[in-house]
Amino acid sequence: MTALLGGAVAGACYRSVRTVRQVRSLVPLHEAPPSSVIPAVVTVVVPARNESAVLDDCLRGIRSQTYGDGDASALRVVLVDDGSTDGTGDIARTHAAVDDRVRVVRVDGPPPGWAGKVHAMHVGVEAAGPPGAGEWLLFVDADTVLAPDLLSRLLATADAVDADLVSTPGGPPADRSAAWPLLMPPGLQMIGENAAPDGRGSKAFAIGHCILLRRSHYEKVGGWSSLAALRNEDIAIATSVRDHGGVTRMVDGLDHVTTTGMDPFSQGWASFRKSFVAGTRQSVPVLLGGGLGQIALSLAAPAALAVGARRRRPLLAALGALGWMAQGVAHAHTARYMRAEPKLAPLAPFTGALFGGVLLDGAVRVLRGTVSWKGRRSRS
């Protein structure tokens, strides 16, 4: 048992060190330089299904962008109403009526072989027309609000690091739920174990809240058509861009982007569950193994500390304490990045174990055939 605990703690330490390194590789958001050239066209695509509660704030944020210094031709917005049954379409049309840059496209769900969000974004790009020279695409979730200078700063950041795709998650709203301090740090760690912020891992990291992509590279990878059936579309598009010779980077733009998609706690739990069910392609063995492994690795350090103290094995107790500390440091780094609560870092083993429950819940729902994708149920 001692050897097993020691190995698990060593694994947890390795994960923690790797997490800290990945957080440190994130690119800070650059200041936008004074405009001295004709701005490139940026097409913003917003897929929206039953988003009436949040869409108005999202579109106001997009329309308020300072990019282009008043040049209306520099920014165009395509809102794709993806079969909404609430007031989403009405809200979008209200914005379009007062702003010529906004266009609303209605689709009644995806055709066979397409995931809903991917199809909506594909429709949005197609509705924008043929690609323009130097054009960028900005994909924004409907529950996301952009600060006025966000687009200018994202473009400046992409230019500074010579990236073809940059992405940033949204930060928490003022009345954030417990999902942020409890689920964000371990969730980010688990995603980062398979997807690298600098694009150098087995997969490239991106988060669907906000993705800025050169349209030339979008066309090069085959657009969303090449990823039609995937539901982990953010990591998939970043990985495809990377695999086709592009540069992808995760950016720290959380002070300029806000999302309500993780609130309340139940919604944050469901959001992570959806991401991991999609990322594992609804594999019950992978979800079960990942969930149980996450719980075991997370709790190994406190278990080693307790066993070592009880059995008077100082080396095991010291290893447990070291592992616990390492997990706390990793938690603090990810929490600071996500604007959560670093003060909960001492609870890292337990928040990590809690996140294992997200994967186990996903496995149970796949087995029951109750996996839901934004109101659409998928049966395995």
Side-chain angles (χ1 to χ4, degrees):
M1 180 178 178
T2 299
L4 186 62
L5 276 177
V9 173
C13 288
Y14 171 78
R15 295 179 75 201
S16 300
V17 171
R18 190 170 186 272
T19 296
V20 171
R21 291 179 61 186
Q22 289 205 336
V23 173
R24 288 178 175 173
S25 73
L26 295 162
V27 177
L29 196 63
H30 284 59
E31 293 283 350
S35 179
S36 59
V37 297
I38 298 175
V41 173
V42 177
T43 299
V44 185
V45 177
V46 184
R49 176 176 170 83
N50 294 336
E51 301 284 7
S52 61
V54 294
L55 184 59
D56 186 61
D57 287 340
C58 175
L59 289 176
R60 287 181 185 278
I62 294 170
R63 291 174 51 208
S64 298
Q65 292 301 298
T66 58
Y67 175 71
D69 290 332
D71 183 350
S73 65
L75 183 69
R76 54 187 179 181
V77 184
V78 182
L79 185 289
V80 182
D81 177 7
D82 182 20
S84 299
T85 56
D86 62 358
T88 293
D90 294 334
I91 294 171
R93 285 185 288 273
T94 297
H95 282 268
V98 298
D99 192 332
D100 292 339
R101 299 173 300 173
V102 180
R103 180 179 178 185
V104 182
V105 180
R106 168 80 182 191
V107 294
D108 292 319
W114 283 81
K117 181 180 178 182
V118 174
H119 179 252
M121 291 188 292
H122 164 75
V123 169
V125 176
E126 293 299 301
E135 181 182 352
W136 288 81
L137 298 172
L138 178 65
F139 298 99
V140 178
D141 281 353
D143 56 14
T144 302
V145 179
L146 311 183
D149 62 343
L150 184 277
L151 177 53
S152 297
R153 297 185 65 151
L154 272 183
L155 286 164
T157 305
D159 182 65
V161 298
D162 196 23
D164 305 292
L165 180 152
V166 292
S167 176
T168 179
D175 55 347
R176 64 189 175 193
S177 71
W180 291 89
L182 295 180
L183 299 181
M184 277 296 183
L188 210 62
Q189 180 182 52
M190 286 202 71
I191 295 172
E193 288 177 346
N194 294 302
D198 59 5
R200 297 179 181 177
S202 60
K203 297 178 182 178
F205 202 170
I207 292 182
H209 298 163
C210 181
I211 298 176
L212 180 68
L213 167 63
R214 292 185 196 273
R215 185 158 181 181
S216 59
H217 276 265
Y218 173 84
E219 302 292 341
K220 186 176 182 180
V221 305
W224 290 117
S225 298
S226 65
L227 309 170
L230 299 182
R231 298 187 185 275
N232 59 332
E233 71 289 333
D234 43 13
I235 288 177
I237 190 71
T239 302
S240 187
V241 168
R242 188 275 313 275
D243 290 346
H244 283 78
V247 175
T248 70
R249 297 300 298 267
M250 280 292 295
V251 174
D252 183 355
L254 282 86
D255 292 330
H256 295 76
V257 183
T258 302
T259 180
T260 56
M262 302 302 294
D263 304 280
F265 181 85
S266 59
Q267 185 167 303
W269 180 282
S271 179
F272 272 119
R273 182 183 64 217
K274 179 184 71 173
S275 295
F276 280 90
V277 169
T280 60
R281 302 196 177 189
Q282 302 190 42
S283 170
V284 172
V286 173
L287 288 166
L288 285 175
L292 293 174
Q294 171 71 9
I295 293 170
L297 284 177
S298 298
L299 297 180
L305 178 58
V307 171
R310 183 175 180 180
R311 297 185 179 180
R312 298 182 180 179
R313 296 183 178 179
L315 289 180
L316 181 60
L319 181 62
L322 177 63
W324 195 327
M325 183 180 301
Q327 288 175 266
V329 170
H331 180 110
H333 274 72
T334 51
R336 288 191 188 97
Y337 172 62
M338 293 306 301
R339 310 308 193 262
E341 297 180 22
K343 65 183 180 182
L344 293 184
L347 299 179
F350 309 103
T351 58
L354 174 66
F355 197 87
V358 173
L359 278 71
L360 297 181
D361 184 25
V364 170
R365 287 177 179 268
V366 172
L367 285 171
R368 291 179 176 175
T370 57
V371 178
S372 179
W373 310 97
K374 202 67 178 178
R376 301 185 179 105
R377 182 160 290 184
S378 171
R379 294 192 176 274
S380 55

